[in-house]
Amino acid sequence: MQSLRSVLRLTPGRAISGAFGLVLAVGTFLLSLPIAVQGRSATFMEALFTATSALCVTGHIVVDTPVFWSPFGQGVILVLIQIGGFGVMSIATLLGLLVARRLGLRTRLTAVSETHTVAVGDVRRVLLGVAVITMTTQAVVALVLFLRFWLGYAEEPGRAVWLGVFHAVSAFNNAGFALFSDNLMSFVADPWICLPICAAIILGGLGFPVIMELRRRLLLPRRWTLNTMTVVIGSLVLLVFGAIALTALEWSNPGTLGPLDPAGRLLAGFAMSVMPRTAGFNTIDVSQMHAESWFVTDILMFIGGGPAGTAGGLKITTFAVLFFIIVAELRGDTAVNMFGKRLPRSTHREALTVALLAVALVVGSTLAIMLMSPFGLDRVLFEVISAFATVGLSTGITADLPEVAQLVLIALMFIGRLGPVLLGSALALTTQKRMYELPKERPIIG
């Protein structure tokens, strides 16, 4: 308790990162216990990598989840996924709200940083709404999956319940952990498995503010906020683009879509358009995909999902702002307009800052891992973007990387999950108005 109080006394950014670090340490310790495995004991790196991947809702693995980890270990992974998806400080704040029924100002500010709440006074309503959305969605998806595993695959009822709950939580939190050695490849043509999981992934990837607004104004798009409009339209565009591109590129590939019938190919193509949006499940063998398909997947992973949700990546809103900045510059507009609204200049700078930092991080990490391992650019870049965007898809080289390269991926997962929160809170807390301006001068551009 004293440690938790110490964390809560820090600034929002430090409190969130400190809380994540504390939970990560506990998760690593629990996964290091003999009870957490089914065979040999887990090494420190295996426990740390798995705990980080689960807490940062990524899905990268270095050991086979259903074979290596015991039911206790799988339970630890599930709890870490739920904590990571909902947010460590959000959970702490919600527990405090339920116990004390009131929130201090510092606690509210911390929750605002993690949930991207518009105002401090909204924290109570937002957290309770997020909890209801999370539990309801996961319960519905878990029920559908339970019935399918029980009735369609003759799983024992207890086993079917566990499979349904685990995959529902993993899907909504965009984690990508599965309790099958081939992930979801055995169910590539089963819509009763793939579509509920895809639906949970899409909902989780929209972001909680968008989901809460759609609950109130689903049929009133003209009253949607700019954030909701951007995320919904951007998500639809990326889903359609990804589905068409990946299905066309892999249509006759004998290692992926080739053996399936046309309906199965369309379902698999759609699923593999959803999964890179930071979910990490795979219904086809990613290592057998064409290099062009890896590149398309890189794009989808890097952009990611909506802000203030379980998705990672650059975020749809950031990408959309950059797109409209380019459009405004090409048209010679004096202001950047987006879906009928004018963007403040501070938003331009924030989007450019986030994008350039993300590109620098991906480029630097890719170069570092290439120097540490024998793998080529296409595979290493895929792994790096997947880790940074907290996706979890892999070309199959993660477990074969040297430990120092795996440490780079661990850092990327941690930064990818907390980076936007910490950067946003840092920008908000360090905003200062200058009392003077420097003289203007333009360098030559282009």
Side-chain angles (χ1 to χ4, degrees):
M1 289 300 295
Q2 184 62 36
S3 299
L4 181 59
R5 293 193 190 97
S6 299
V7 169
L8 292 175
R9 281 198 295 268
L10 299 174
T11 61
R14 291 180 180 178
I16 295 168
S17 58
F20 261 80
L22 179 62
V23 174
L24 177 60
V26 174
T28 302
F29 170 75
L30 292 176
L31 290 178
S32 300
L33 297 175
I35 194 177
V37 297
Q38 302 192 78
R40 64 171 177 81
S41 298
T43 65
F44 173 76
M45 180 57 67
E46 289 168 342
L48 175 63
F49 195 98
T50 303
T52 304
S53 182
L55 184 61
C56 297
V57 291
T58 304
H60 261 312
I61 58 173
V62 291
V63 292
D64 190 346
T65 303
V67 174
F68 187 83
W69 301 110
S70 68
F72 175 82
Q74 295 170 12
V76 171
I77 292 172
L78 185 66
V79 172
L80 290 174
I81 290 173
Q82 191 70 280
I83 292 175
F86 192 84
V88 176
M89 296 310 296
S90 294
I91 288 180
T93 304
L94 182 60
L95 291 176
L97 174 64
L98 294 176
V99 173
R101 298 191 178 276
R102 63 186 180 86
L103 298 174
L105 178 59
R106 184 176 297 277
T107 305
R108 289 175 183 267
L109 290 173
T110 304
V112 164
S113 298
E114 193 171 43
T115 61
H116 290 255
T117 307
V118 176
V120 175
D122 293 336
V123 171
R124 182 192 302 268
R125 177 179 57 83
V126 168
L127 289 179
L128 292 176
V130 167
V132 170
I133 291 170
T134 300
M135 295 299 107
T136 302
T137 304
Q138 291 176 170
V140 172
V141 174
L143 176 60
V144 176
L145 294 179
F146 155 69
L147 292 174
R148 184 57 177 169
F149 284 126
W150 179 35
L151 301 177
Y153 294 93
E155 294 282 359
E156 293 293 329
R159 168 72 174 168
V161 168
W162 176 237
L163 290 174
V165 170
F166 189 97
H167 291 93
V169 173
S170 184
F172 182 76
N173 289 288
N174 281 220
F177 278 90
L179 294 182
F180 302 97
S181 295
D182 62 355
N183 206 275
L184 298 180
M185 290 172 57
S186 299
F187 312 103
V188 60
D190 188 343
W192 291 101
I193 298 293
C194 293
L195 292 182
I197 288 178
C198 285
I201 292 169
I202 293 172
L203 282 175
L206 289 177
F208 294 116
V210 173
I211 298 175
M212 294 179 70
E213 182 167 9
L214 292 178
R215 287 174 58 193
R216 303 191 307 268
R217 303 171 180 172
L218 178 61
L219 302 179
L220 299 172
R222 292 189 177 183
R223 297 180 60 187
W224 289 354
T225 62
L226 180 59
N227 181 72
T228 298
M229 181 72 71
T230 304
V231 172
V232 171
I233 293 178
S235 296
L236 290 174
V237 170
L238 291 175
L239 285 174
V240 172
F241 162 74
I244 293 175
L246 292 174
T247 302
L249 290 171
E250 297 295 319
W251 186 265
S252 58
N253 185 345
T256 56
L257 302 186
L260 303 174
D261 60 31
R265 295 180 190 183
L266 292 176
L267 176 62
F270 170 74
M272 287 310 296
S273 175
V274 175
M275 305 307 181
R277 307 294 308 290
T278 82
F281 289 108
N282 62 284
T283 59
I284 60 175
D285 190 348
V286 176
S287 66
Q288 297 299 313
M289 292 170 64
H290 295 310
E292 298 85 354
S293 300
W294 284 344
F295 184 68
V296 172
T297 306
D298 286 340
I299 295 172
L300 296 175
M301 291 191 300
F302 188 72
I303 295 175
T310 59
L314 187 67
K315 300 296 191 297
I316 294 173
T317 46
T318 304
F319 181 79
V321 168
L322 295 175
F323 174 78
F324 281 100
I325 288 176
I326 295 174
V327 171
E329 191 64 29
L330 293 177
R331 295 175 55 181
D333 295 337
T334 57
V336 178
N337 300 315
M338 188 169 157
F339 299 121
K341 301 290 180 64
R342 181 170 58 86
L343 298 178
R345 294 192 179 275
S346 59
T347 303
H348 309 176
R349 295 193 297 269
E350 290 174 8
L352 289 170
T353 299
V354 170
L356 290 177
L357 287 176
V359 170
L361 190 62
V362 168
V363 170
S365 301
T366 300
L367 178 60
I369 294 180
M370 287 181 66
L371 294 174
M372 301 171 189
S373 68
F375 301 107
L377 174 62
D378 50 359
R379 290 181 180 270
V380 173
L381 180 63
F382 191 99
E383 303 294 315
V384 167
I385 295 178
S386 181
F388 167 73
T390 66
V391 179
L393 290 175
S394 174
T395 60
I397 67 172
T398 302
D400 297 326
L401 291 173
E403 288 192 352
V404 64
Q406 292 178 359
L407 286 173
V408 173
L409 294 182
I410 288 173
L412 283 171
M413 289 187 285
F414 201 82
I415 294 172
R417 183 66 182 122
L418 292 184
V421 175
L422 300 182
L423 182 60
S425 62
L427 291 174
L429 293 174
T430 58
T431 301
Q432 297 180 357
K433 185 176 181 180
R434 288 183 179 270
M435 302 307 293
Y436 63 92
E437 291 187 357
L438 298 174
K440 286 184 178 180
E441 185 174 349
R442 288 190 54 151
I444 298 175
I445 303 297

